Amino acid sequence: MSRAPFKRLAAVAAALALVAGICVALMVPRARGALGIGASGAGDAAFIAYPSYVQASNYHFVTGEYAVRAKAGYNPRFVFGSSELSPRHGGAMNPSKLLLNGEYGISTLTVGRATCESLWQAVEMGALGGTTGQDRSVLFASMQWFMCYRAPQDHLPAMFSRDAYDAFMANDRISADLKERVTKRLGEYGVRVTKSSSPISSFSDTLDRTMTSAVDDARLRLENNRAAVPSPRAPSAAPSAPDWAGLETSATRCLAATPRNKTFAVDENWYQKRGEAWLKGAKATWKVRGGEYFSQQEYEDFKMALAAGVESGMVPLVVIQPVNGFMYDQTAYTASVRQEYYAMIRRACEEAGVPYVDFSSHEYDKNFFQDYSHPSEYGALLYSRAVYNYLKD
């Protein structure tokens, strides 16, 4: 009999003992502070607008954050996406900030960040739909997920949550076919989730999963101890509707007060620091092979994400984000190529029977972008209005 399973079992057990020690240390009040999963030192009503990588990859954090908000009456709603949901883009007008505190009857709970692409979203959406019973959500689709430089095998393993996957697999609403396809694709991207038939290996797999979950929670507590989080307003018994005209005036004023690059319609400070380097890198490294500008593999993953939302009962509104046409026209992804992408996303939504809002007509809107694709205050406000109109009911 091979000794490999025993060696792996010993290694896992040793690592688990180490993690247990760390967790015990973190439980000491002065060592770990007052911060726990789904709460903060500012009290249970202090929410995260945009999760860190540690928080985004921890399913306990997401469900804990949801539970805290729901218990306090904030009507939390899931918004899935990536870097466009960071308040660094669009500031107070970003849906992750503007709709966070319950003032307008909902509290956006951001799920994901940069590198969280279609397959990751499929797992999270299927898991959370089964856990929370929410009937709708929002999914921001990014062209960058599909482009020639995508490499999910390089970052999905680091962001993957086994706890989310287990919840996804336990969701009775998700079809066996979808579970099988998601599991197979995870393996293709380097994420090991299959169970062994050997009793010893099976036991070590269980220990491995327990250890991973403990490590994730330990990292989360350390993360929460390092950073303060914003305290939202108390939820209103009679929430008001946003004053979109007033908010648009405010967003336009913010934009007018910021120097803009007239050639590319972006923030001038961003362009001076990063814009030229971005253009140079895009021209040099974006190599399209075999005429496949947009990955068919990612397209299949995206359709699985839509299916996970529909099957779990948490039907997503897909936000089709534009990219900055002035900048992308300087790359291999010209206007005609980009139209193929927008049509592809619309087609996937129509086939899945999910609603979408299409912002592709804003590619050459001189007020919409902060940089090559992320929104300005004005662009973020338009996103917020679409998110609110779908989630408010």
Side-chain angles (χ1 to χ4, degrees), residues 10 14 63 130 143 168-169 171 226 230 254 261 263 312 335 362:
T63 55
M143 184 183 294
F168 169 85
M169 295 298 287
N171 186 349
R226 291 192 186 106
C254 288
N261 182 284
T263 302
S312 69
H362 289 272

Side-chain angles (χ1 to χ4, degrees), residues 326-390:
F326 299 108
M327 299 202 76
Y328 270 71
D329 281 348
Q330 311 304 310
T331 75
Y333 287 83
T334 58
S336 60
V337 170
R338 299 192 303 271
Q339 287 305 314
E340 294 177 12
Y341 163 77
Y342 298 128
M344 181 173 70
I345 299 302
R346 290 191 294 266
R347 184 167 60 252
C349 293
E350 290 164 1
E351 290 175 355
V354 304
Y356 63 86
V357 56
D358 187 356
F359 287 98
S360 62
S361 62
H362 289 272
E363 280 202 330
Y364 297 99
D365 184 335
K366 293 188 176 181
N367 293 323
F368 196 90
F369 297 100
Q370 181 185 43
D371 53 28
Y372 58 91
S373 69
H374 299 107
S376 65
E377 287 84 354
Y378 175 71
L381 179 63
L382 297 186
Y383 286 161
S384 288
R385 184 160 54 191
V387 169
Y388 172 79
N389 285 339
Y390 184 66

Side-chain angles (χ1 to χ4, degrees), residues 18-101:
L18 177 61
V19 171
I22 295 173
C23 292
V24 169
L26 286 169
M27 290 298 177
V28 178
R30 290 186 181 180
R32 67 180 288 268
L35 301 176
I37 297 172
S40 80
D44 281 352
F47 303 153
I48 300 294
Y50 183 67
S52 68
Y53 281 105
V54 170
Q55 292 162 342
S57 62
N58 190 297
Y59 186 65
H60 294 161
F61 170 79
V62 179
T63 55
E65 188 80 354
Y66 177 87
V68 167
R69 297 192 198 187
K71 183 178 180 181
Y74 283 83
N75 190 19
R77 296 286 186 153
F78 294 111
V79 179
F80 299 85
S82 47
S83 58
E84 70 283 339
L85 294 172
S86 169
R88 292 188 300 113
H89 310 300
M93 300 300 168
N94 194 291
S96 67
K97 289 282 285 185
L98 183 65
L99 304 176
L100 171 70
N101 61 27

